[in-house]
Amino acid sequence: MKRRDALRSLALITGGLVLVPSCDFSKEDILTAYQNLQITPSLQQLLKDIAGTIIPVGNIKSAADIEVQDFILVMVNDCIDADGQKSFMQGLQGFEDFSKKSGGSAFAKLDQSGKEAVVKAALAIELPENTKPEDPQKATKEFIGMAKRFTVQGFMMSEYIQTQVKPYSLIPGDYQGAVLISDLKPERING
């Protein structure tokens, strides 16, 4: 009986070893949360770095600290049409090449001032009127525009901003009719 079990185990191990070389472990996984986008963890990290450059850390947290990249991806996946999604993905995938051309290095390897210069260069791209839709410069400009818009929107709507920086009140408060304007404290809009 034990010989049969040993032969069965040996056959299973041999079959498994035959199949392992056919498995491709080199490809990066695609995140399934975004059905319309082909987002890999490295592209998500790049988007996080870009959002952290658009709203950097200062007296308050940065956009990267509060995970705004997830908001950006959800908005692009759910609210942008197919052409916009395609343009966003082309721009995101080509942003490393743009960073190498304009900043001299990969975006993640640049210091904060270098990252800011690359993002400013992307925002300042001037396109001629007869630009083709598949032009990488056009895709980069459209991508960085969407990324900036959704970064600011997601940052200002985040729980951190609404509870700690600019406290949100569902009901504005009780009525105080005899208060001088000079005694009112201004809201902390910018932290």
Side-chain angles (χ1 to χ4, degrees):
M1 254 343 215
K2 295 187 183 224
R3 188 174 12 172
R4 287 183 185 167
D5 292 336
L7 288 173
R8 185 176 336 136
S9 297
L10 182 65
L12 286 173
I13 291 172
T14 305
L17 290 174
V18 168
L19 293 176
V20 167
S22 67
C23 297
D24 184 16
F25 298 110
S26 64
K27 273 187 139 178
E28 207 171 359
D29 291 336
I30 293 177
L31 302 176
T32 58
Y34 314 107
Q35 302 87 5
N36 302 328
L37 306 174
Q38 299 293 315
I39 298 294
T40 62
S42 62
L43 289 177
Q44 187 178 27
Q45 181 62 40
L46 174 62
L47 190 58
K48 181 177 183 176
D49 292 343
I50 292 168
T53 303
I54 293 172
I55 301 179
V57 69
N59 294 336
I60 58 176
K61 294 180 181 180
S62 72
D65 293 336
I66 58 174
E67 305 288 330
V68 170
Q69 76 276 1
D70 295 330
F71 175 80
I72 297 168
L73 292 172
V74 167
M75 291 299 287
V76 171
N77 188 60
D78 295 345
C79 302
I80 303 295
D81 63 344
D83 293 335
Q85 290 172 356
K86 182 180 177 186
S87 177
F88 181 86
M89 285 305 298
Q90 286 175 347
L92 180 58
Q93 290 166 346
F95 197 77
E96 283 294 341
D97 294 333
F98 179 80
S99 175
K100 289 175 185 173
K101 287 178 187 173
S102 63
S105 180
F107 192 76
K109 294 180 182 177
L110 294 171
D111 60 343
Q112 185 64 25
S113 61
K115 289 179 180 181
E116 289 173 7
V118 169
V119 169
K120 285 180 184 177
L123 288 169
I125 292 175
E126 294 291 330
L127 297 172
E129 289 182 24
N130 57 357
T131 304
K132 296 179 182 177
E134 63 273 357
D135 185 21
Q137 292 286 340
K138 182 178 182 187
T140 300
K141 182 165 180 69
E142 289 178 1
F143 157 72
I144 201 69
M146 275 191 263
K148 180 181 176 187
R149 182 180 72 193
F150 289 137
T151 298
V152 172
Q153 182 181 359
F155 186 76
M156 294 306 290
M157 291 174 40
S158 69
E159 180 181 356
Y160 168 70
I161 293 293
Q162 295 292 323
T163 59
Q164 296 177 17
V165 177
K166 180 183 174 188
Y168 175 77
S169 175
L170 182 62
I171 301 172
D174 56 339
Y175 175 72
Q176 298 174 352
V179 176
L180 296 174
I181 292 176
S182 60
D183 293 341
L184 295 176
K185 294 188 324 187
E187 288 193 31
R188 299 177 302 159
I189 293 174
N190 296 323

